[in-house]
Amino acid sequence: MAETSKTATLTLHGETYELPVLSPSAGPDVVDIRKLYAQADVFTYDPGFTSTASCESSITFIDGDKGELLYRGYPIDQLAEKSHYLEVCYLLLNGELPNKTELEDFEYRITRHTMVHEQMHNFFRGFRRDSHPMATMVGVVGAMSAFYHDSLDINDPWQREVASMRLIAKLPTIAAMAYKYSIGQPFVYPRNDLGYAENFLNMCFSVPAEPYKVEPALAKAMDRIFTLHADHEQNASTSTVRLAGSSGANPFACIAAGIACLWGPAHGGANQACLEMLREIGTVDKIPEYIARAKDKDDPFRLMGFGHRVYKNFDPRAKVMKESADEVLDLLGVHDNETLQVAKELERIALEDPYFVEKKLYPNVDFYSGIILEAMGFPTSMFTPIFALSRTVGWISQWKEMIEDPTNKIGRPRQLYTGATTRDYVDVSKR
Ligand code: CMC
């Protein structure tokens, strides 16, 4: 629990209120306003939650000024370099890095949960053949609650654990199936002899007609992309999962809600939007035109893959992602990638431009991820599903933490009402 040793004083309408100030293990102090409405009959106003801590959490910490991201205290660059995705999943879910036996047991369990109920194949076939994989994923993940009845009781710790395993294990299968369905190819079953990222690449790119061998270096790059996206504290989709879960909804329904929120171009959809923007810019000489549009208040255009609510110095994930982009393109022998040239030049120009400097707008994780995914062979429509499958562990860890928190309450924000006050109904003939 966060400590309380200080207080803040609020003076309102001649009355003084003492508000407890909670001290976190890292980050700014938090003024506890839970009793403010009961005591002072006022609400606080903070659209977009720019200054509001919605929960207490010990999973992920971001210092936006330092460009620091920690999973359970471990810096993201160390995890990206030295760890791997399933170990990171264990860490996020359980709070500590696993020992050798714990890791082997966890990997064994995840691997044995990767298949989906065979009847789900029929469910997929109900979608229009050219559905966006995110549309399919929102539906299929929500429908998991119709297939896995024995892990729906949120009050049973064992069922919560099984639901978590199922979600982490099956999301790659579901994302790959959504992709295969969208391009009219047969579904590929998961293989227990392959690692998590390797298995995902195999399910996406192999076909029954010929053998397919996953390049280990590409599997490693894929695994790193999963790790970089695994959690990001109380972002929009995670807050959506928590809010849905606060009413007692089952975990599959909550994760489906998170996927829906992630889809938006201001959030997880930015990786698709960013690559489309880089392609639209096309050549380096067009960059100034797009920079000018991004700065124009009357033009809704924004530089996708730029800016972040929390990072105001640099996004540490973008740094690792940029290195990965160079490695992957090198490995694939792509030396004259025009999109990468445009991205690098755009980054260089924007970082020197006073508009972006003053507003502290830097490339975020999505700026380079699309370039890597495209080089690996993924169409843009798969970028956000890959983000979703990577973030599932973060969502489910945050959901579990919330359910296990004795102070958890249904999320129910208040509002600043500016509509009509009470008025009498007027018959339609008189309006
Ligand atoms: N291009 C041009 N101007 C921008 C951009 C951008 N990408 N981002 C912010 N600004 C401007 C914005 O117009 C505003 O200007 P002013 O103060 O003059 O009104 C100022 O910078 C602050 O922006 P904001 O929208 O109030 O900031 P926010 O914290 O609400 O939004 C954001 C953060 C990520 C939604 C926004 O920067 C954005 O839309 N970026 C592009 C989309 C993107 O890349 N999203 C991925 C985020 S990282 C992955 C994830 O977490 O999902």
Side-chain angles (χ1 to χ4, degrees), residues 130-165:
D130 53 356
S131 305
H132 192 291
M134 278 301 273
T136 313
M137 279 181 75
V138 173
V140 173
V141 173
M144 284 175 80
S145 42
F147 286 87
Y148 302 103
H149 297 152
D150 56 349
S151 48
L152 296 181
D153 182 356
I154 63 159
N155 298 315
D156 176 349
W158 175 247
Q159 294 200 30
R160 290 203 294 271
E161 166 106 6
V162 174
S164 308
M165 294 287 163

Side-chain angles (χ1 to χ4, degrees), residues 20-32:
V21 176
L22 307 174
S23 296
S25 51
D29 282 350
V30 173
V31 181
D32 181 350

Side-chain angles (χ1 to χ4, degrees), residues 266-267 270 297 302-306 309 355 359 361 364 366:
H267 193 6
K297 280 270 154 273
R302 281 188 167 200
L303 275 195
M304 299 315 285
F306 256 80
R309 169 62 60 79
Y355 174 92
K359 293 190 188 304
L361 300 170
N364 58 49
D366 291 324

Side-chain angles (χ1 to χ4, degrees), residues 130-319:
D130 53 356
S131 305
H132 192 291
M134 278 301 273
T136 313
M137 279 181 75
V138 173
V140 173
V141 173
M144 284 175 80
S145 42
F147 286 87
Y148 302 103
H149 297 152
D150 56 349
S151 48
L152 296 181
D153 182 356
I154 63 159
N155 298 315
D156 176 349
W158 175 247
Q159 294 200 30
R160 290 203 294 271
E161 166 106 6
V162 174
S164 308
M165 294 287 163
R166 283 184 167 144
L167 280 157
I168 297 166
K170 293 186 204 305
L171 256 288
T173 314
I174 290 171
M177 287 171 82
Y179 171 50
K180 285 297 199 189
Y181 188 73
S182 73
I183 56 168
Q185 286 189 6
F187 297 138
V188 175
Y189 285 93
R191 270 178 43 190
N192 288 357
D193 61 322
L194 301 179
Y196 191 86
E198 211 181 355
N199 181 45
F200 175 63
L201 290 172
N202 187 64
M203 287 188 292
C204 287
F205 295 126
S206 72
V207 286
E210 58 186 35
Y212 173 79
K213 170 96 181 70
V214 180
E215 172 64 56
L218 288 187
K220 196 162 172 250
M222 186 82 259
D223 191 88
R224 189 178 289 166
I225 289 179
F226 293 162
T227 299
L228 292 176
H229 287 95
D231 195 40
H232 214 226
E233 53 118 308
Q234 310 311 320
N235 55 82
S237 57
T238 303
S239 300
T240 302
V241 169
R242 278 186 178 260
L243 197 56
S246 75
S247 72
N250 75 68
F252 304 111
C254 296
I255 301 300
I259 296 173
C261 177
L262 187 78
W263 197 357
H267 193 6
N271 51 15
Q272 171 167 351
C274 180
L275 198 82
E276 284 165 358
M277 175 196 76
L278 293 173
R279 281 202 199 124
E280 190 186 308
I281 297 174
T283 48
V284 169
D285 58 304
K286 296 261 180 59
I287 292 173
E289 182 192 318
Y290 283 84
I291 296 262
R293 284 188 60 194
K295 288 158 48 176
D296 181 356
K297 280 270 154 273
D298 301 324
D299 188 331
F301 175 78
R302 281 188 167 200
L303 275 195
M304 299 315 285
F306 256 80
H308 199 275
R309 169 62 60 79
V310 185
Y311 295 119
K312 298 298 173 201
N313 203 336
F314 69 94
D315 179 341
R317 304 167 301 170
K319 215 168 138 203

Side-chain angles (χ1 to χ4, degrees), residues 244-424:
S246 75
S247 72
N250 75 68
F252 304 111
C254 296
I255 301 300
I259 296 173
C261 177
L262 187 78
W263 197 357
H267 193 6
N271 51 15
Q272 171 167 351
C274 180
L275 198 82
E276 284 165 358
M277 175 196 76
L278 293 173
R279 281 202 199 124
E280 190 186 308
I281 297 174
T283 48
V284 169
D285 58 304
K286 296 261 180 59
I287 292 173
E289 182 192 318
Y290 283 84
I291 296 262
R293 284 188 60 194
K295 288 158 48 176
D296 181 356
K297 280 270 154 273
D298 301 324
D299 188 331
F301 175 78
R302 281 188 167 200
L303 275 195
M304 299 315 285
F306 256 80
H308 199 275
R309 169 62 60 79
V310 185
Y311 295 119
K312 298 298 173 201
N313 203 336
F314 69 94
D315 179 341
R317 304 167 301 170
K319 215 168 138 203
V320 182
M321 203 63 93
K322 188 176 179 181
E323 287 162 17
S324 262
D326 284 328
E327 272 169 36
V328 168
L329 295 186
D330 227 28
L331 184 84
L332 295 170
V334 185
H335 299 298
D336 52 355
N337 183 296
E338 185 110 49
T339 320
L340 184 65
Q341 305 302 329
V342 172
K344 286 193 169 167
E345 189 57 11
L346 181 62
E347 179 184 7
R348 193 190 64 75
I349 296 176
L351 291 184
E352 285 175 0
D353 189 297
Y355 174 92
F356 291 89
V357 174
E358 275 156 29
K359 293 190 188 304
K360 300 189 173 185
L361 300 170
Y362 296 86
N364 58 49
V365 69
D366 291 324
F367 194 65
Y368 284 102
S369 64
I371 292 169
I372 307 181
L373 293 173
E374 187 190 43
M376 282 178 167
F378 287 106
T380 47
S381 61
M382 274 305 283
F383 295 179
T384 319
I386 289 170
F387 192 159
L389 84 85
S390 320
R391 183 56 58 85
T392 296
V393 66
W395 289 330
I396 203 70
S397 304
Q398 301 266 353
W399 171 82
K400 266 180 81 209
E401 181 179 65
M402 180 191 68
I403 300 291
E404 287 161 15
D405 179 351
T407 65
N408 174 41
K409 271 175 180 261
I410 185 168
R412 199 343 184 150
R414 307 308 292 250
Q415 63 174 4
L416 170 63
Y417 180 68
T418 52
T421 51
T422 312
R423 49 183 170 165
D424 288 325

